[in-house]
């Protein structure tokens, strides 16, 4: 099998003396691992950073082989984020969540586009945490565990939706959720529409919401905790008073 | 594979094959050369290896490898005690020493923070660095860490940990290498160089 596709590097680890095993998030072939010959070389090391955009040419004799890839860098890569510790933590967390949550070799063009949008946004300090939450919400949807935020799961109301049921993943209105508010997850307005502004606590609510569903539907069945990089990101956002 | 040599030779070939740059074929060639030149190469090499195994250990101050503790660099009175360079591994220290341009001291972290690989601060010698700087006498900490996502994440973390001490923390510059032609540089390096222009 042989293909060429746009991709983002999610992770890379050394293999042998000069090679690397690279995890890619490709547009048309999903999360895909490949051996990159010369991956430890001076020329390739800058390309094999999480978040680097590449054109990948993949070749394997059969579909059950790991296969080999050559990577051609596109654009600057993550070096634009090098001076921003929070953005670096965001990039590592996004890559970790994608590596941990996405099944291998299952095309997810929507997740690819959302990951790309997040990487591009990481230079916009005030904006990207909300984009990160939206990325995770989109990831859940792509994996079949999307939340239904269109109307209240109890009354059918379409306005004043401020909670999400942790059991059903459906939105709940203020009035219907009032008696159960301690057990419901808070729904930040920015997940309902692009026009909603960010209020204090919205980002924390968003991370708690997507984190709860990622944990329950994606990582618990794999018997794994949420990625440490995501936990670390939340700690850093908390320390920077950005939650 | 059928063996045509005794177990001692096979063992020697097997071990040599594990060295960087060598495979089974080159390991066999190296073993043959060593066996042919026993007195000039094999015995001195065996003695050097035994001495290194017995005596070389991480320096209790900086973490570099040496046969004495504190290591040669830490014990050198001609070194500038006020300058402390933080490096990832001993290989980085050796690279800096090879250049001959730095006369300060070092602190070897023993790796980099990696959120993806689950390497946290406790796995590195960061607490030892903070204690070392807190003892006083350091007027500048230079971060000689790789310009990678993990390298820069580590650099930011170390800077934050050292911020309370009030000692200035600087980093090595990033940009066009000596002899580097723009045509051959990756976009990230060019962008970094442009941003750091002076």
């Amino acid at each position: 099998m042989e293909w060429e596709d746009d991709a983002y590097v999610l992770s890379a680890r050394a293999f042998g003396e000069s090679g690397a095993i690279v995890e890619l998030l490709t547009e048309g072939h999903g999360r895909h691992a490949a051996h990159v010959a010369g991956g430890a070389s001076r020329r390739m090391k800058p390309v094999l950073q999480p978040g680097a955009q590449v054109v990948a040419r993949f070749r394997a004799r059969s579909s059950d082989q790991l296969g080999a890839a050559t990577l051609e860098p596109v654009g600057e890569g993550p070096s634009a984020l090098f001076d921003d510790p929070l953005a670096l933590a965001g990039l590592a967390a996004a890559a970790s969540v994608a590596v941990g949550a996405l099944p291998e070799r299952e095309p997810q063009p929507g997740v690819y586009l959302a990951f790309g949008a997040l990487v591009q946004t990481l230079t916009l300090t005030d904006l990207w945490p909300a984009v990160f939450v939206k990325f995770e919400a989109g990831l859940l949807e792509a994996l079949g565990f999307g939340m239904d935020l269109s109307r209240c799961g109890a009354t059918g109301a379409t306005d004043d939706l401020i909670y999400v049921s942790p059991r059903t993943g459906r939105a709940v209105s203020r009035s219907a959720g009032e008696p159960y508010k301690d057990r419901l997850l808070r729904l930040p307005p920015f997940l309902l529409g692009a026009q909603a502004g960010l209020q204090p606590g919205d980002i924390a609510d968003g991370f708690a919401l997507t984190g709860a569903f990622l944990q329950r539907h994606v990582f618990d069945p794999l018997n794994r905790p949420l990625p440490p990089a995501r936990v670390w990101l939340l700690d850093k956002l908390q320390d920077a008073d950005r939650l | 594979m059928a063996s045509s040599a005794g177990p001692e030779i096979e063992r020697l070939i097997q071990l040599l094959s594990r060295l960087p740059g060598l495979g089974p074929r080159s390991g066999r060639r190296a073993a043959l050369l060593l066996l042919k030149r026993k007195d000039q190469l094999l015995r001195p090499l065996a003695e050097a290896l035994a001495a290194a195994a017995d005596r070389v250990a991480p320096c209790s101050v900086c973490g570099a490898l040496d046969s004495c503790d504190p290591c040669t660099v830490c014990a050198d009175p001609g070194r500038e005690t006020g300058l402390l360079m933080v490096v990832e591994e001993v290989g980085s220290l050796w690279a800096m020493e090879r250049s001959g341009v730095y006369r300060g001291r070092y602190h070897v972290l023993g790796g980099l923070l990696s959120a993806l690989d689950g390497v946290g601060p406790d796995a590195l010698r960061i607490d030892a660095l903070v204690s070392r700087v807190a003892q006083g006498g350091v007027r500048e900490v230079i971060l000689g860490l790789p310009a990678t996502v993990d390298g820069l994440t580590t650099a930011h973390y170390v800077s934050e940990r050292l911020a309370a001490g009030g000692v200035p923390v600087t980093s090595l510059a990033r940009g066009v290498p000596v002899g580097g032609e723009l045509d051959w540089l990756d976009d990230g390096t060019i962008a970094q160089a442009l941003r750091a222009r002076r």
Side-chain angles (χ1 to χ4, degrees):
Chain A
M1 60 189 293
E2 201 171 337
W3 48 256
E4 179 176 322
D5 203 353
D6 293 331
Y8 286 97
V9 175
L10 294 177
S11 72
R13 61 187 169 84
F15 182 77
E17 280 176 40
S18 57
I21 304 288
V22 180
E23 289 259 16
L24 299 168
L25 177 57
T26 65
E27 184 168 18
H29 298 83
R31 179 168 74 88
H32 214 294
H35 177 253
V36 175
S41 68
R42 221 176 342 179
R43 190 181 72 83
M44 283 306 293
K45 272 205 164 176
V47 182
L48 301 185
Q49 298 297 309
Q53 195 176 6
V54 295
V55 174
R57 292 179 190 88
F58 177 84
R59 178 181 282 191
R61 268 194 232 166
S62 63
S63 61
D64 56 357
Q65 280 190 322
L66 172 67
T70 55
L71 306 178
E72 192 65 40
V74 177
E76 183 184 349
S79 63
L81 310 174
F82 278 179
D83 294 327
D84 184 348
L86 268 179
L88 285 174
L91 179 61
S96 287
V97 169
V99 167
L102 286 170
E104 275 198 88
R105 301 190 178 194
E106 231 174 69
Q108 299 282 4
V111 175
Y112 169 83
L113 292 175
F115 186 85
L118 174 59
V119 170
Q120 300 299 321
T121 319
L122 283 169
T123 50
L124 307 174
T125 313
D126 295 331
L127 194 63
W128 71 259
V131 179
F132 194 109
V133 173
K134 288 188 174 186
F135 163 71
E136 288 192 330
L139 185 68
L140 282 164
E141 192 167 338
L143 294 171
F145 306 113
M147 295 174 277
D148 179 3
L149 307 180
S150 58
R151 59 176 56 83
C152 175
T155 64
T158 55
D159 56 354
D160 212 16
L161 303 173
I162 63 163
Y163 301 113
V164 174
S165 163
R167 195 171 59 82
T168 63
R170 299 183 75 178
V172 179
S173 67
R174 185 188 304 272
S175 56
E178 186 61 26
Y180 317 101
K181 65 180 181 184
D182 295 339
R183 282 181 275 164
L184 297 173
L185 296 161
R186 293 188 62 81
L187 170 60
F190 73 83
L191 277 179
L192 292 171
Q195 279 75 34
L198 281 176
Q199 301 299 320
D202 280 357
I203 297 297
D205 289 343
F207 274 108
L209 181 64
T210 53
F213 287 108
L214 280 171
Q215 178 80 65
R216 181 174 164 192
H217 294 302
V218 180
F219 288 96
D220 275 354
L222 298 170
N223 207 16
R224 286 204 299 246
L226 284 168
R230 189 183 188 277
V231 178
W232 196 12
L233 169 65
L234 293 185
D235 288 345
K236 288 190 85 70
L237 286 170
Q238 179 81 55
D239 291 346
D241 205 16
R242 298 273 304 281
L243 280 181
Chain B
M1 191 177 73
S3 170
S4 55
E8 295 83 5
I9 298 177
E10 281 303 320
R11 177 85 176 130
L12 180 62
I13 293 170
Q14 195 185 45
L15 289 172
L16 287 170
S17 305
R18 289 193 205 163
L19 297 176
L22 298 187
R25 193 178 289 264
S26 43
R28 189 165 286 122
R29 285 173 57 203
L32 191 59
L33 180 74
L34 288 169
L35 291 167
K36 274 185 180 171
R37 301 179 65 186
K38 263 189 193 174
D39 291 331
Q40 298 94 331
L41 277 178
L42 184 58
R43 283 190 213 288
L45 179 64
E47 284 163 16
L49 289 172
D54 287 343
R55 292 184 213 144
V56 175
C59 170
S60 58
V61 180
C62 72
L65 291 173
D66 207 331
S67 54
C68 50
D69 190 12
C71 69
T72 314
V73 173
C74 289
D76 183 353
R79 293 268 173 173
E80 270 197 65
T81 52
L83 284 178
L84 185 63
M85 180 175 291
V86 180
V87 293
E88 176 193 0
E89 290 288 1
V90 179
S92 310
L93 185 157
W94 289 348
M96 193 54 74
E97 285 297 288
R98 213 167 47 227
S99 72
V101 294
Y102 176 70
R103 293 296 298 163
R105 298 193 172 167
Y106 296 92
H107 189 90
V108 181
L109 290 180
L112 296 174
L113 295 177
S114 175
L116 276 161
D117 298 331
V119 180
D122 295 343
L124 308 178
R125 300 181 68 252
I126 294 176
D127 286 341
L129 170 67
V130 175
S131 310
R132 201 174 160 190
V133 174
Q135 284 168 8
V138 177
R139 62 180 162 80
E140 181 181 350
V141 174
I142 303 168
L143 301 177
L145 297 170
T148 61
V149 170
D150 288 345
L152 271 295
T153 301
T154 309
H156 289 304
Y157 181 81
V158 169
S159 300
E160 282 170 23
R161 289 288 305 273
L162 294 174
V167 176
V169 179
T170 58
S171 294
L172 294 183
R174 302 189 288 270
V176 182
V178 174
E181 294 176 32
L182 293 185
D183 196 23
W184 290 95
L185 292 182
D186 63 283
D187 295 358
T189 303
I190 291 176
Q192 287 279 314
L194 186 65
R195 275 195 285 271
R197 69 187 183 278
R198 54 184 179 161

